[in-house]
Amino acid sequence: MIKISIQREDFDIGREIALLRSEHKSVGAIVSFTGLVRDSSHGEPLITMTLEHYPGMTEREIMRIAENAHQRWNLDGLTVVHRIGELHPSEQIVLVLAASKHRNEAFEAAQFLMDYLKVRAPFWKMEKRATGEHWVDARSSDSDAAARWER
Amino acid sequence: MIKISIQREDFDIGREIALLRSEHKSVGAIVSFTGLVRDSSHGEPLITMTLEHYPGMTEREIMRIAENAHQRWNLDGLTVVHRIGELHPSEQIVLVLAASKHRNEAFEAAQFLMDYLKVRAPFWKMEKRATGEHWVDARSSDSDAAARWER
Amino acid sequence: MKLLYFAWLRQHIGRNEETLDVPDSIATVAQLIDWLIERGEGYRAAFADGTRVRVAINQHHVDRDARVRKFDEVAFFPPVTGG
Amino acid sequence: MKLLYFAWLRQHIGRNEETLDVPDSIATVAQLIDWLIERGEGYRAAFADGTRVRVAINQHHVDRDARVRKFDEVAFFPPVTGG
């Protein structure tokens, strides 16, 4: 059970967990990650953050990551919801849910999904601040986080 | 911001996240762990699971773990909700939330909290199955999980 | 001394708490357990497998060599299984 | 060949996609980029720092030495920043 949704609308974590659980009765552990728009960047207040993506490739790339996670861990379900379009400070950007019988598998799978999503899924963030519009730079710490799963 | 609640009533993850976020505007990442009652145990269907605890010590012990987590990681908030009393299969048992600016700190703090809660917080589970009432045995894998943070 | 019992220790002993006059000669947790075992069958059953019994003094986990004092709250319980 | 541009590559080139007749002599991603740079200032600016440009063929991440074919969909974009 892999659910992937790229959407403009906000998401409701309680509803997503209920959906995931409705498909699998014996889930013992669910780990979630929620990413939010921060209120400042480079020392300036953030006005908006706009997310652009590559339709089609985004879903396929996330599916490849999710299938990889399913091979590595014993999972009862995975959900990835990622928003696109214009977002404001403190809005939700991304939700990852990993369900398993065992908590460590759920923790690792959720972390794996986020680490790879950050470096593989074709999304780009543009920040609007007082000084203008700025594309967000990729961080080497994100590449390092993904690389540790290849050890 | 540490919130600890030991309660009979169910909890709502959406509401707990909203409460945690209302106290801290610049949260970038929230990791949650939800533990659920499974539907079977030792190959038998589970009828109920009853949670007993040591009032007073439970809250203090969880507070010690949470303060320890605050010292190790840069956190914007921690929430622990643990239910007691009689629960049925697929009911929620425990919720841990960790909020941080950085996703890895939130992931690690949530995992740390669960690992220590499992071996330090004075709760005991009794399962009712067709064959009678059985106290749940502690698992050595839980001690191992907590021990790795001491390396 | 206030004594608390949880889970199957409570079931063996037949109560969840009691206040006992413990002799001055009882200085450690280990000595307290040996003294309790002499009080009857329920205690003997509860403490039969000492490796399965954990102890807290005043709501802190302690080892068998921890000192006990007259006005302490001492709790006995199995390894915890929450979460 | 269908070419897609995202983020600041799109802004430099002034469009998000185009279909171009690419000469048969263009066999790899690296050659395709060199050929595009000759098409004008916007392309030159987009590909000025080659280390900051990533490439996908038919929605799979590829390296500079990957082969390109006439009916491929080739996308150019900066390192991704989702999540």
Side-chain angles (χ1 to χ4, degrees):
Chain A
M1 267 65 56
I2 298 174
K3 172 185 169 173
I4 295 167
S5 175
I6 313 300
Q7 60 187 47
R8 291 187 173 272
E9 319 81 71
D10 199 9
F11 53 80
D12 175 343
I13 186 172
R15 186 170 156 270
E16 294 298 338
I17 287 178
L19 280 170
L20 181 147
R21 292 185 56 190
S22 67
E23 293 181 358
H24 217 287
K25 283 296 171 197
S26 69
V27 167
I30 300 173
V31 169
S32 79
F33 175 85
T34 307
L36 306 161
V37 182
R38 301 203 214 150
D39 57 7
S40 67
S41 175
H42 295 79
E44 287 186 275
L46 188 72
I47 302 166
T48 58
M49 168 172 285
T50 304
L51 274 139
E52 173 174 335
H53 80 129
Y54 181 176
M57 179 169 172
T58 312
E59 292 83 349
R60 290 171 70 163
E61 199 60 39
I62 296 173
M63 183 57 81
R64 285 190 275 263
I65 302 167
E67 285 170 349
N68 197 335
H70 261 288
Q71 280 164 15
R72 280 174 174 248
W73 294 283
N74 206 328
L75 301 175
D76 293 329
L78 279 175
T79 297
V80 180
V81 182
H82 203 299
R83 293 178 69 195
I84 51 170
E86 187 179 290
L87 303 176
H88 294 85
S90 95
E91 280 198 78
Q92 304 189 113
I93 305 172
V94 59
L95 174 70
V96 164
L97 300 179
S100 176
K101 281 181 190 51
H102 304 107
R103 76 179 181 287
N104 262 324
E105 304 208 48
F107 268 117
E108 291 197 354
Q111 209 161 0
F112 174 91
L113 251 144
M114 278 308 303
D115 285 348
Y116 274 97
L117 188 147
K118 283 262 180 190
V119 297
R120 306 280 305 179
F123 292 100
W124 301 276
K125 289 184 182 131
M126 198 197 60
E127 296 177 345
K128 192 187 285 179
R129 310 196 297 263
T131 51
E133 297 185 340
H134 308 271
W135 290 97
V136 172
D137 279 327
R139 288 184 308 179
S140 60
S141 61
D142 286 329
S143 308
D144 298 344
R148 79 199 152 111
W149 298 104
E150 280 156 32
R151 269 181 249 158
Chain B
M1 266 64 54
I2 297 174
K3 171 184 169 172
I4 295 166
S5 175
I6 312 300
Q7 59 187 49
R8 293 187 172 271
E9 319 83 70
D10 198 7
F11 52 80
D12 174 344
I13 186 173
R15 188 171 153 270
E16 294 299 338
I17 287 179
L19 280 171
L20 181 147
R21 291 185 57 190
S22 68
E23 292 181 359
H24 216 288
K25 284 297 171 195
S26 69
V27 167
I30 301 173
V31 169
S32 79
F33 175 85
T34 306
L36 306 161
V37 182
R38 301 205 215 150
D39 56 8
S40 68
S41 176
H42 295 78
E44 287 187 275
L46 188 73
I47 301 166
T48 59
M49 168 171 284
T50 303
L51 272 139
E52 172 174 337
H53 79 129
Y54 181 176
M57 180 169 171
T58 312
E59 292 83 349
R60 291 172 68 161
E61 199 60 40
I62 295 174
M63 183 57 82
R64 286 190 274 264
I65 301 167
E67 285 169 350
N68 197 334
H70 260 288
Q71 279 163 16
R72 281 175 174 247
W73 294 282
N74 206 329
L75 301 175
D76 293 327
L78 278 176
T79 297
V80 179
V81 182
H82 203 298
R83 294 177 68 193
I84 50 170
E86 188 180 288
L87 304 176
H88 295 84
S90 96
E91 279 198 80
Q92 304 189 114
I93 306 171
V94 60
L95 174 70
V96 165
L97 300 179
S100 175
K101 281 181 190 52
H102 304 107
R103 76 178 182 286
N104 263 326
E105 304 207 48
F107 269 116
E108 292 197 354
Q111 208 160 1
F112 173 92
L113 251 145
M114 279 307 304
D115 286 347
Y116 274 97
L117 187 148
K118 284 260 177 191
V119 297
R120 307 280 306 181
F123 292 101
W124 302 276
K125 289 184 181 131
M126 198 197 59
E127 296 178 344
K128 191 186 286 180
R129 311 195 296 262
T131 52
E133 296 185 341
H134 307 270
W135 289 98
V136 173
D137 279 328
R139 289 184 306 179
S140 59
S141 61
D142 286 329
S143 308
D144 298 344
R148 79 198 150 111
W149 298 104
E150 280 154 33
R151 269 181 247 157
Chain C
M1 198 175 297
K2 183 176 177 187
L3 304 177
L4 307 180
Y5 311 106
F6 293 96
W8 47 259
L9 280 102
R10 170 176 54 71
Q11 292 178 319
H12 281 304
I13 292 167
R15 69 200 70 173
N16 58 3
E17 71 171 80
E18 62 188 335
T19 300
L20 294 180
D21 277 328
V22 176
D24 289 338
S25 59
I26 304 300
T28 66
V29 166
Q31 290 167 355
L32 177 60
I33 291 175
D34 288 342
W35 181 78
L36 285 167
I37 287 172
E38 297 305 313
R39 289 178 56 86
E41 187 48 47
Y43 294 90
R44 196 159 18 249
F47 293 103
D49 182 358
T51 64
R52 295 180 65 212
V53 177
R54 299 286 179 275
V55 186
I57 297 181
N58 300 332
Q59 309 191 350
H60 285 78
H61 292 287
V62 297
D63 292 327
R64 290 291 191 281
D65 56 2
R67 317 289 296 180
V68 293
R69 292 157 307 172
K70 279 231 174 301
F71 300 102
D72 282 339
E73 173 179 300
V74 184
F76 299 95
F77 44 80
V80 303
T81 56
Chain D
M1 196 176 294
K2 184 176 176 186
L3 304 178
L4 306 180
Y5 311 105
F6 292 96
W8 47 260
L9 280 101
R10 171 177 52 72
Q11 292 178 320
H12 281 304
I13 292 167
R15 71 202 67 176
N16 58 4
E17 71 171 80
E18 60 189 335
T19 302
L20 294 179
D21 276 328
V22 176
D24 289 340
S25 58
I26 304 301
T28 67
V29 166
Q31 290 167 354
L32 177 61
I33 290 174
D34 289 342
W35 182 77
L36 284 167
I37 286 171
E38 296 306 312
R39 288 177 58 82
E41 186 47 47
Y43 294 91
R44 196 160 18 248
F47 293 104
D49 183 358
T51 64
R52 296 180 64 211
V53 178
R54 298 288 180 272
V55 186
I57 296 179
N58 299 332
Q59 309 190 351
H60 286 77
H61 291 286
V62 297
D63 292 326
R64 290 291 192 282
D65 55 2
R67 316 291 296 181
V68 293
R69 291 156 309 172
K70 280 232 171 302
F71 300 101
D72 282 340
E73 174 178 301
V74 184
F76 299 95
F77 44 80
V80 304
T81 57

